[in-house]
Structures are given as structure tokens and as C-alpha cells.
Amino acid sequence: MCTCSRSARPNYLHDAHCRLALRLGADVICEKPLVINPWNLDALQELEAEFGRRIYTVLQLRVHPKLLELRKRLSQETHGQQHEVILTYVTARGNWYHKFVERR
């Protein structure tokens, strides 16, 4: 049985897919935003408690300050010329991630 779910759908579906996965007994990794309406967060927390599963969010590097700075600098220096950027980003992951991956 799969005990995890990854939600990479349009933003308006994140909430519904997270609810379904929790009801099916799965942990969820979901991109932000989890919900469109902030009041829906309470319902997701209640479902986490009810089913004993969790929703984890993903760090989105496209809004990282250093990447925004790089984008701005490249666009100013080269006036619309395309660039190939190779990015290596290393970050620590919590124990939750390793447990999540092990269950898959």
C-alpha cells in the first residue's frame, strides 16, 4: 500500500488532492500554495489530526532571493539574451523526508 502522495497539480486542486490523500491514509508532499482560501487550512489541519498523516510543503527555488537577484542582474546586463544557468542547491532535509521516501 502506498502511504504517500505527491500533489503537483494546478493550484486550485492542491486542497482537494491533499484532502483525498489524507483520507486514503497517505502523507502528502505538496507545492505551495496548499490552499487558495486561507480558511481552508483549518480543515486540512483537522484532517491531519483525524487520519494521523501529514502534509509537507516544498521549497520553491523560483522565488529564492538569490535567484531573483541573479535573474535581475542577467536581464539588465544582457538585454534579453538567453543564458544557460546551471544551479546546484544543497539543503538539509528533516527526518520527515527520509521517512517519507522510505515508505515509497
Side-chain angles (χ1 to χ4, degrees), residues 10-28:
N11 291 349
Y12 71 93
L13 292 175
H14 288 181
D15 182 21
H17 289 182
C18 287
R19 288 170 189 257
L20 177 61
L22 292 171
R23 287 184 176 117
L24 292 174
D27 289 318
V28 182

Side-chain angles (χ1 to χ4, degrees), residues 5 13 15-16 18 23 27 30 32 37 39 41 43-44 46-47 52 55 59 61 74 80 89-91 101 103:
S5 175
L13 292 175
D15 182 21
C18 287
R23 287 184 176 117
D27 289 318
C30 183
K32 294 179 182 179
N37 301 306
W39 52 85
L41 285 173
L44 290 179
E46 290 170 10
L47 288 171
I55 299 172
L59 174 66
L61 293 177
L74 288 174
Y89 184 84
V90 179
T91 186
V101 171
R103 281 188 255 171

Side-chain angles (χ1 to χ4, degrees), residues 83-95:
H83 297 274
E84 180 178 346
V85 176
I86 299 172
L87 173 68
T88 301
Y89 184 84
V90 179
T91 186
R93 291 185 170 151
N95 289 333

Side-chain angles (χ1 to χ4, degrees), residues 13-99:
L13 292 175
H14 288 181
D15 182 21
H17 289 182
C18 287
R19 288 170 189 257
L20 177 61
L22 292 171
R23 287 184 176 117
L24 292 174
D27 289 318
V28 182
I29 292 179
C30 183
E31 292 181 346
K32 294 179 182 179
L34 291 179
V35 296
I36 300 298
N37 301 306
W39 52 85
N40 291 347
L41 285 173
D42 295 334
L44 290 179
Q45 285 183 314
E46 290 170 10
L47 288 171
E48 281 183 324
E50 180 180 347
F51 294 101
R53 294 297 183 178
R54 296 289 314 271
I55 299 172
Y56 301 99
T57 57
V58 176
L59 174 66
Q60 292 189 5
L61 293 177
R62 64 186 168 84
V63 295
H64 192 285
K66 290 294 183 185
L67 289 180
L68 294 175
E69 180 184 316
L70 175 62
R71 181 177 184 219
K72 182 178 177 181
R73 191 184 74 206
L74 288 174
S75 66
Q76 289 173 343
E77 291 175 1
T78 58
H79 306 291
Q81 180 183 2
Q82 290 187 346
H83 297 274
E84 180 178 346
V85 176
I86 299 172
L87 173 68
T88 301
Y89 184 84
V90 179
T91 186
R93 291 185 170 151
N95 289 333
W96 68 267
Y97 177 82
H98 300 291
K99 290 176 185 175

